[in-house]
Every structure is written in C-alpha cells, then in structure tokens.
Amino acid sequence: MPEITFTLNGEEKTVPYEEGMHFLELLREGCGITSVKDGCAPQGYCGCCKIMVDGRPTLSCLRKPEQMAGREVLTLEGVPEEKLEILKEAFVKDGGIQCGFCTPGIVMRATSLLDGEPDRQKIAKGLAGHLCRCTGYTRIVDAVQSAAEAWQSGEPVAHEPRRPGSFGEAHGLERTSTGGNVHGVGGSSPRYRGHEHAAGLKPYVADMKVDNMLYAAVVLAEHPRAVVRAIDPAPALAMPGVERVLTAADVPGERYVGLIYQDWPIFVAVGETTRCVGDVIALVVADSVFLARSAAEAVAVDYEVLEPVTDPEDALDAKSPKVHEKGNLLDTCAFSRGDVDAALAEAAHVIEETYTTQRIEHAFLEPEACLAVPEGEGITVYSQTQGVHDDQAQIAPVLGLDPEQVHVELVTNGGGFGGKEDLTVQAQTALAARLMGKPVRTVLRRDQSIRVHPKRHPITMRYTVGADAEGRLTAVRARMIGDTGAYASVGTKVLERAAGHSCGPYRVPNVDVDAKTVYTNNPPCGAMRGFGANQASFAIEGIMDTLAERVGVDGWDIRERNILAPGDRFATGQKMKGSCGIRQTLEAVKDIYKSAAPNPAQHVGIGCAIKNTGIGNGMDDSGRVLIQVLEDGRLEILTGYTEMGQGLFTILRQVVHEETGLDPEIMTCRTASDPRVLCGMTTASRATALLTAAGQRAARKLAADLNGGLEALAGREYLGEYVCDFTTKPGEKTDEPVTHMTFSYATQVVIVNDAGKLERVVAAHDVGRAINPLSCAGQIEGSLHMGLGYALSEDLPCTGGHPDSLMLRDLGILKAKDTPELEVILIEVPDEVGGYGSKGIGEIGLVPTAGAVAGALRAYDGIRRTSLPMTDAPAAAASVPKSRRKA
C-alpha cells in the first residue's frame, strides 16, 4: 500500500492510502480529521471539505493523496484558537448556523477572509465555492462580516446580532408580544451547541466510529424497470477485506417498508422487477469505506430490461404497464362544496390555465448515513432520520424483532426538508449488523443519495376560476395529477395537501377539486418543504395576477379583496379562527409594494400564502417532552421530534428556562425512540408548535417541585404531552370540517431591477409567536432561498426514468453571490393551539415565493409564465446549468 508524507496542522504525518482514494478520504479515514465533511465527493461543489493547502483554500475531495506529498495542510483542528473563537462566536451570535453540516467548511474559508475588507459583496463572492441549503446565506455573510471587524479591530465580537429578527420596525410596525429575557420565550437565545458546530466538533453519523466497526455500501439498480435475473456477489467476495454481500434472501422478516403503504422493498429479489434506479439490489460489507464502495462496483447483476413508465398521464391509461400490481393510480383526493358550474356560468371573469411544476432534489448537505450496533437481543440504530419512532416501527419487522428491541437514537441531522422521512439505508444497515454481530456503518455517496430518496412532486394543475366584475372569486375548479414516482412514500398526503391549498389564502364559496397521485418508474417523490402547498400556490397566485389585469387593479388590491378573514372558509370548508393573520401580513408590505410598483426601474410581484401547521386530516398531531433530573444537577430534555437545523433543541431549553428560571447551560437535549415521548414524524411544521406546549407542561411540573432545589430531585422525571386529535378525516360527513389543527400565513414581495435581476425580497410572516426571533427569521430566509431556486433554476429532469445528471452542480441551487437582499418581517397573531401562540414557519417561507417571482417577471417583460422553473428569466441566468437554459 502506498503512503505519503505531509504536514498536517503543523505536524509531519506519514499516512498509507488505497490507490484511487481522494485526499478527503485520507484525512477522514486515515487521519481521523472529521471537521472536513463529505457532502458531494468527488464532485468538488459543496465546499464542505474545504482545507488550506500551503495557505490557499482547497477542496480536499478534488486532490489525490499523491499530489499532497510535502505540502502543508491546515484544517479547523489546527486553526489558531484566537481566530477560531472569533469565528465561532460570530456564527452563533449572527445566526449563521442551522443544521451545521456546511458550517465547518465555510468557517475554514472564512479564516482567509478575515484580513480583507469586510464588504458584504466581497464576502459573498468569496463564499461562491460553498453551498448552504438552510440559511439563505444572509446570516453567514453577517457572521463573516462581524468576525472580520472583530479580528481587525482587536475587539470582541459585538454582542448583538447584525440582523435581529425584525418585527417591521423600519416600516412603522411594532412587536405585539414582549420579548422576555434572551434565554426565555421570545428571546434570541444562542443556538444549542452552536460553537461545536462552527468548529466541526459536533459529530454526524458519518463521523462516528465504534470498536470492531464494519463498513457497508449499496448496490443500486442500473435500470428503472428491469427484471433482476441473477445477482453474482463472487467478484466482490474475492476482494480482500470484504466480509459479506447481503441480498433479499438474507432478510428474516418483512422485506417491504413504507410510511403509509408498505410498497418499498429494502432489497429487490432475483426474479422481481425494479421500479426505479434507486432500488437497492445488494449491500456489501467490508473492513473499510473505500473497499466496501469498490467491492459494490464489482457485484454483477443480470437484468432483462423493460420499457419504463415515465409519464403520469400515460400511466393512467388502462394499457400502461403496471408499476405496482394494484395499478398506477395510487389515490384520488376529491372534494367539492357549492355549485361550481352555476358560479362559472354567472361569473364576469372566467380564467382557464394549466400550470406545471418540476421535480426538485432536496440537496441536504449531509448524505444519508446510518450506524447500527448489536446490543444483546436487540440493536441500537444511530440515524439522521426525521422520525425515530417511524424508523423503529419499520426496522423491527424487517429484523423479525419486537419494536422495543430496536432503539433508534438521533445523531446530528445535517438537513432534511422532508427528504429524510423515508427509510433509505437504515433497515439494510441494521440487518447487516444483526446478521454479522458487529457494528456496521453505511454512508451514501451524493450520486447515490440523489437516486435513492424521494423528491418534490412534479404536478400538472388545470384551473378554471370564476370571479365577479370587481374581481372577487366565486369559483375554483382544479384538476391535479402528481407524479409520485416508484413508491408511495407520503405522496397521497402531498396531493391531498395540494388539493386542500388549491384556493390559497382566498375566500372562494364554490370549490371542486380532484387530485390524483400516480405511480411511475421515475425517482420516488414524497415530502419536501411546502408539501404540495407551494405547487398549488404557484397556480392560484398566477390566476390572481391575471384577474388583477382583467379587472384593472394592481396585485395588492386584488388580493386584499379576496383574502380570508376569521369566519371565512378555507378551500376544504374549514372555518378560519381569530388567529387568521393573512391580512396583517398583507398590510405589512402595502407601502413597499405600492411604492415600488410605479417606479420604472423596479418591477414588483406579490404573493400571499396559507400553510397548514400539523398533519391533520384525522391523523394524530402530538408532542411529548420528558425532562429528566440527573444526579449531577443537570437536566436532560428528551423528545421524539428531530432537531434538523430549525433550532428545536434551543427552543426546548428556552421553554424550560421560561417556566423554571433554570440556566439553559445545565440542560442537554436528545431525541430517541423512547415510547414515553412518541411524537411521530418531524413534518408539517408542527414540532415547535406542539413541543412548546408539551415542554411548557413538563417544565411547570418541574417548577412546582423546585422549592427544595434541583439536587433533591435527582432521578425524577417530568412528562409533558400535548395532543391534537380533533381534525376531520378526508371524506367524513360534517358541516364543520377541521382539516388542520391550525395554519400560518405570509405575504411576500419580490422586486427585480431594470435588467430583470432579483434585487430584493420582502417576506411578512405571521408566526403566531416568535419563540426565538433570530432563529425564526433565519428559518424563513432559508426557505426563501429555496423558494427562489424553485422559481428560477432548480430542477431534476429525468429521461427514461434516469435523472439527467447526478451532479450537485447541475441542480441549479443559488449561491451566496446570486441571492438577493432578503428582508423578513415577523408578525405575531397568537394562535389558539400552538404553544405560547406559536405557528409553523419551516415550510411556508417558500409557498408564495414562485408566484411572487412570476409576478415580478411579468411586470418586467410582460410574459405570463406558467411552468417552473422559469429558466428563461434573466434572474435565473447565473444559477441555471448551461445544459438547461431555455433559448
């Protein structure tokens, strides 16, 4: 085995390596340096593996070990403490950390920016080699700017964030609630373990190592629809260090998993037909990551290739091949109220239009990973899942175990956005560990990640809308077809949500909606931020802009005439409560919109949105928190919901502090599949609303016992739970349907300049109560960034069931230098259901964005755009890969 000698963080190292390795692998596996992360290796695009080589920023995944002989290499582990401390403090103070996976690479790059001019544009340009999927970059630039100023002045990092959560003070608005102290509810308490994230010290699954650990790699299907004729593991087993190759024949229990329908095999067996190129054929287990991946390439699979089903409308034809035996129509969600035909016949304005949206890749920076460790008769699974209890419920039957024999522990989650709800490699990894009696860790490469996990649904939406002479909506008829790909995932719920949000935040007395979820051989589609509401929003906001033109009013006025008010009915028939804050968000941007609209150098668009908080539709929405008093006078806060960058653990500590007065620094937080904290999936923007209520109940119990001091309570536990079980099942006959426990609301204004480029986005959001304003605004900014990409440049086109590209660079994600000014206005209309009046914020940030962008572009060039992404727009030019740019 060859070896190289180089200087690592000031110390000379001689390290052996395998032929074909890249330098990132050598650093991580050979040197134990885990601050450098593998987000896309060897694609060299995400920036997570940034190091300094001879004083210059370098992507370690693009260097071969032999190129590094004699070089001086610096990682975060070797950065002088004084400089690193300033950067850590700035990133925490300014809110530049969410999931944290990209952060060490960005901090590494920032070390070389501290001596330069602290100019925002220059910093953004300097970060051009980095992706962040969570923050929208604004607060990362803030953090680097703050750190540079502190470094150059010799003064500490300023105590206050550059951009605290805004309540519209600049526009004459005031916060309606009290902020409390910084660590209590309403204060911008620093992110839990934020300093560790910034320094690269917070481990993710791929960073974990335990004694006697083996490494696994998947063999994926080469064809989206093909009969597997034979699997030959012999070439892989002949390679030194390969321990075993697992296939469907090795599964002792159930082989099919799924969150709603169990239609997804963890392995496709010989004689069965693949349904997508993300199907797992085999799992190779070896004594190193590199060897496992190399051996996986050697497994020989014989296929009989069949023609794939790729068009959802064609898939509904009776002559189409069946993707699943039960047929290609997975589900139809349909409802109606009023008389749409009569309303359309009487309407002064009737608008008919078809809208299409695209398939989107989540592109969370941390690829899927799992570590499974056998323990006695059971097994512990370390996962980055969005639902520890759902993982437990699906893994146990695969192994032939009772659920209580499978313990799932959340490890730091490097971004999810819905894409980590479904099982990917957890069941296979647990099976390998169980059969071999040793710990096994599996980590997907980026190209495999793109093939395996579900995407955002492409949906075709055909609308017919009626309005009276003044532009007040009278009827909406919508017909939707969604491509859910090869497996159900939560596709039926996505189309159900698109149907439910078909009228947006507008009052419509007559509604007729039909939404079909269809199987194809395309990559599976499931949960992604917005969950169907953003697809429907793009359509209804386009309709509203057309209606405004016909009536002769502007975009603000047409929306003001139609927005929901307390007592009005949502599309599904649910009555809005007093906490309906859509008007407040619309009023908050009125002056901004009205002043920009007549300016010939600015072109303005506007979009309004409503988004459910909680799953609803008759399903359980519950939150549970267990506070445990430890022997050393500390508290452990246990829950079943996932911290994935949204700041959930920080908020839980704020709640406990609010109710008990105890110092947050004595509190640690953890997520595990303990049955006492059964919570379900971290989805539908519900975790904060439910856990603040549950945490408040648990903390108040603890507070009542604190008279004798915390030490006297060692060993005690305090459970708080909050259950919303009052929603209505689809199809249930009732005059007063309650489809969701509550909603959040937003209005966004997008301004493009005279060159057609994005200049500014203003987002007014009714958040109910901003539990942590800094975190709250950061979540919305990240969602806005994702929404802008959705509108303009992001896409995962497929041909014949294969993604056209598996490269991160071809997804069309906006970089820091291409992201416009983002201004968030937090509106607080307290909710009747969410804890302390809070509402969901994680998803609604991108719901109205595409519609608002389309409106601004329409004002710029007069083109009505009805298909996403809008790659023909000048604003998209910098982010759309050349291969996808429209003429």
Side-chain angles (χ1 to χ4, degrees):
M1 184 181 294
E3 59 184 30
I4 60 163
T5 299
F6 64 102
T7 301
L8 175 62
N9 298 327
E11 181 181 346
E12 187 172 277
K13 293 273 189 180
T14 299
V15 186
Y17 64 93
E18 297 275 1
E19 293 283 359
M21 269 188 170
H22 47 70
F23 191 59
L24 173 60
E25 291 174 300
L26 183 144
L27 285 174
R28 288 182 57 83
E29 304 303 325
C31 302
I33 298 292
T34 56
S35 67
V36 286
K37 307 298 182 187
D38 184 350
C40 70
Q43 297 181 20
Y45 192 72
C46 71
C48 295
C49 68
K50 186 66 61 72
I51 58 175
M52 303 291 284
V53 177
D54 297 336
R56 297 180 63 85
T58 302
L59 295 172
S60 56
C61 78
L62 293 181
R63 294 296 187 97
K64 296 178 180 179
E66 51 268 34
Q67 294 176 304
M68 305 304 292
R71 313 297 287 272
E72 289 194 8
V73 175
L74 181 70
T75 70
L76 277 185
E77 287 83 351
V79 171
E81 186 59 34
E82 181 185 7
K83 181 177 284 190
L84 187 58
E85 199 60 39
I86 286 175
L87 283 162
K88 290 191 295 185
E89 186 63 26
F91 269 76
V92 171
K93 183 263 299 183
D94 278 315
I97 303 169
Q98 287 190 30
C99 86
F101 192 83
C102 68
T103 308
I106 292 173
V107 171
M108 189 72 240
R109 177 68 178 100
T111 63
S112 63
L113 299 175
L114 295 189
D115 292 314
E117 183 183 350
D119 173 79
R120 296 188 66 82
Q121 288 186 331
K122 290 182 179 178
I123 292 170
K125 187 176 180 180
L127 296 175
H130 293 265
L131 286 181
C132 175
R133 200 60 164 153
C134 296
T135 66
Y137 302 110
T138 297
R139 294 176 189 276
I140 291 176
V141 175
D142 287 346
V144 178
Q145 195 173 17
S146 294
E149 290 172 356
W151 178 251
Q152 293 173 28
S153 69
E155 298 292 328
V157 174
H159 181 68
E160 292 298 319
R162 304 184 81 87
R163 197 182 305 268
S166 169
F167 295 87
E169 296 89 345
H171 308 291
L173 304 175
E174 294 182 1
R175 187 175 189 181
T176 56
S177 71
T178 57
N181 71 69
V182 68
H183 295 303
V185 169
S188 292
S189 186
R191 179 165 294 272
Y192 176 60
R193 301 186 73 174
H195 288 83
E196 293 173 68
H197 275 298
L201 298 176
K202 184 73 171 66
Y204 296 80
V205 177
D207 301 327
M208 297 177 69
K209 286 190 176 182
V210 295
D211 291 342
N212 301 313
M213 187 170 79
L214 296 172
Y215 304 83
V218 294
V219 178
L220 299 181
E222 297 174 34
H223 308 282
R225 184 167 176 258
V227 179
V228 178
R229 289 301 186 194
I231 303 171
D232 182 8
L237 291 170
M239 298 172 69
V242 174
E243 300 265 344
R244 187 165 179 173
V245 177
L246 280 71
T247 65
D250 294 298
V251 180
E254 300 293 331
R255 190 158 50 87
Y256 283 78
V257 298
L259 292 170
I260 299 174
Y261 303 95
Q262 286 69 55
D263 63 351
W264 200 331
I266 68 163
F267 291 112
V268 176
V270 171
E272 294 180 344
T273 302
T274 65
R275 296 186 178 92
C276 67
V277 293
D279 277 334
V280 179
I281 304 298
L283 187 78
V284 177
V285 184
D287 59 15
S288 76
V289 178
F290 183 81
L291 180 56
R293 290 177 172 176
S294 300
E297 300 292 333
V299 173
V301 185
D302 180 34
Y303 297 96
E304 177 190 340
V305 179
L306 305 174
E307 186 69 23
V309 179
T310 59
D311 184 287
E313 299 207 29
D314 290 346
L316 292 174
D317 191 297
K319 297 179 181 178
S320 172
K322 292 181 180 181
V323 178
H324 289 266
E325 190 57 37
K326 61 184 178 182
N328 295 338
L329 177 60
L330 174 59
D331 186 63
T332 298
C333 174
F335 59 86
S336 62
R337 54 185 178 84
D339 189 337
V340 169
D341 288 333
L344 289 174
E346 297 172 2
H349 302 282
V350 176
I351 300 168
E352 295 185 73
E353 192 63 82
T354 297
Y355 294 84
T356 59
T357 64
Q358 77 279 42
R359 181 181 295 101
I360 291 282
E361 158 65 25
H362 299 73
F364 35 72
L365 270 293
E366 177 205 23
E368 295 87 341
C370 177
L371 168 63
V373 181
E375 294 187 353
E377 295 299 313
I379 194 164
T380 295
V381 177
Y382 295 96
S383 178
Q384 34 152 270
T385 177
Q386 288 183 229
V388 288
H389 291 98
D390 288 274
D391 275 20
Q392 179 190 48
Q394 294 177 88
I395 293 169
V398 170
L399 304 182
L401 298 176
D402 294 329
E404 57 268 21
Q405 293 176 281
V406 177
H407 177 74
V408 181
E409 186 89 19
L410 175 72
V411 183
T412 316
N413 176 298
F417 317 113
K420 290 177 180 173
E421 291 189 13
D422 298 85
L423 291 184
T424 50
V425 295
Q426 295 97 312
Q428 296 92 336
T429 307
L431 175 63
R434 175 82 173 159
L435 293 179
M436 303 186 72
K438 291 182 179 181
V440 176
R441 192 187 75 192
T442 307
V443 182
L444 293 184
R445 297 192 312 261
R446 174 59 59 183
D447 60 309
Q448 294 172 329
S449 172
I450 291 174
R451 289 166 67 177
V452 168
H453 71 255
K455 316 300 173 200
R456 186 187 298 288
H457 283 75
I459 303 180
T460 298
M461 299 164 286
R462 297 177 175 87
Y463 270 70
T464 304
V465 177
D468 65 19
E470 287 75 38
R472 292 180 175 85
L473 297 170
T474 58
V476 167
R477 172 169 284 140
R479 297 292 180 264
M480 303 179 178
I481 295 179
D483 180 357
T484 209
Y487 299 107
S489 181
V490 292
T492 58
K493 294 299 176 183
V494 173
L495 269 294
E496 178 182 275
R497 210 68 73 247
H501 288 72
S502 56
C503 300
Y506 304 115
R507 180 178 55 255
V508 184
N510 303 285
V511 179
D512 174 23
V513 183
D514 183 288
K516 290 180 167 57
T517 311
V518 184
Y519 283 125
T520 66
N521 290 121
N522 291 319
C525 290
M528 187 174 179
R529 194 179 222 167
F531 205 89
N534 48 307
Q535 288 98 319
S537 176
F538 175 60
I540 194 65
E541 292 304 307
I543 295 286
M544 297 303 289
D545 286 338
T546 299
L547 182 58
E549 290 179 359
R550 292 198 183 180
V551 175
V553 298
D554 66 27
W556 193 94
D557 287 339
I558 199 68
R559 287 165 173 82
E560 190 277 335
R561 292 179 188 183
N562 286 284
I563 54 171
L564 293 163
D568 288 339
R569 294 190 184 274
F570 181 55
T572 62
Q574 178 171 348
K575 280 187 178 179
M576 294 290 98
K577 297 179 291 187
S579 60
C580 175
I582 185 63
R583 177 166 293 279
Q584 288 89 330
T585 68
L586 186 60
E587 293 289 349
V589 302
K590 181 178 182 179
D591 291 346
I592 298 166
Y593 178 89
K594 294 285 188 179
S595 62
N599 187 336
Q602 293 184 322
H603 309 277
V604 62
I606 188 170
C608 294
I610 183 172
K611 176 68 177 71
N612 60 291
T613 297
I615 297 173
N617 287 285
M619 298 183 71
D620 176 78
D621 281 301
S622 58
R624 293 179 176 87
V625 172
L626 184 69
I627 302 174
Q628 300 170 311
V629 184
L630 306 180
E631 295 294 334
D632 59 359
R634 298 182 62 82
L635 300 181
E636 181 171 85
I637 305 170
L638 182 67
T639 185
Y641 281 134
T642 292
E643 163 64 73
M644 51 187 171
Q646 80 276 47
L648 188 61
F649 284 172
T650 307
I651 283 170
L652 281 175
R653 298 207 310 172
Q654 288 180 256
V655 169
V656 176
H657 172 77
E658 177 78 14
E659 301 299 334
T660 67
L662 295 171
D663 186 350
E665 291 304 311
I666 71 166
M667 307 172 198
T668 57
C669 300
R670 190 165 64 91
T671 296
S673 58
D674 189 310
R676 295 171 295 176
V677 290
L678 178 64
C679 287
M681 190 63 67
T682 313
T683 189
S685 300
R686 62 181 180 167
T688 294
L690 293 169
L691 284 194
T692 48
Q696 181 185 54
R697 294 179 179 187
R700 285 181 175 176
K701 292 178 185 178
L702 169 60
D705 286 351
L706 276 177
N707 290 338
L710 195 59
E711 292 75 12
L713 302 178
R716 296 281 296 274
E717 297 181 335
Y718 299 88
L719 178 66
E721 64 176 4
Y722 188 61
V723 179
C724 296
D725 56 2
F726 50 77
T727 59
T728 308
K729 293 180 180 179
E732 185 175 326
K733 299 298 181 182
T734 175
D735 292 333
E736 296 297 336
V738 179
T739 48
H740 296 288
M741 68 182 202
T742 193
F743 299 88
S744 52
Y745 309 88
T747 301
Q748 295 179 2
V749 170
V750 172
I751 299 171
V752 301
N753 61 24
D754 218 27
K757 301 293 182 69
L758 293 174
E759 184 175 282
R760 184 183 178 202
V761 179
V762 181
H765 281 248
D766 170 22
V767 301
R769 176 78 186 278
I771 306 297
N772 185 311
L774 185 68
S775 177
C776 185
Q779 274 281 290
I780 294 168
E781 288 164 1
S783 199
L784 283 171
H785 170 266
M786 196 174 281
L788 292 172
Y790 178 57
L792 293 169
S793 54
E794 290 192 39
D795 198 359
L796 186 72
C798 294
T799 303
H802 294 265
D804 290 355
S805 173
L806 298 172
M807 301 290 286
L808 206 54
R809 69 176 65 252
D810 290 333
L811 296 178
I813 300 169
L814 272 67
K815 293 290 191 77
K817 62 184 179 62
D818 305 313
T819 302
E821 177 188 350
L822 305 177
E823 179 184 352
V824 174
I825 301 172
L826 303 178
I827 308 292
E828 295 183 311
V829 182
D831 191 64
E832 298 90 344
V833 178
Y836 301 97
S838 61
K839 299 171 181 173
I841 60 162
E843 296 183 88
I844 193 171
L846 59 62
V847 171
T849 313
V853 171
L857 294 174
R858 190 169 179 171
Y860 166 72
D861 60 15
I863 298 174
R864 186 172 71 250
R865 294 171 172 87
T866 58
S867 182
L868 295 180
M870 297 177 282
T871 54
D872 63 323
S879 300
V880 179
K882 291 181 180 179
S883 61
R884 290 201 284 106
R885 290 179 188 170
K886 295 180 180 178

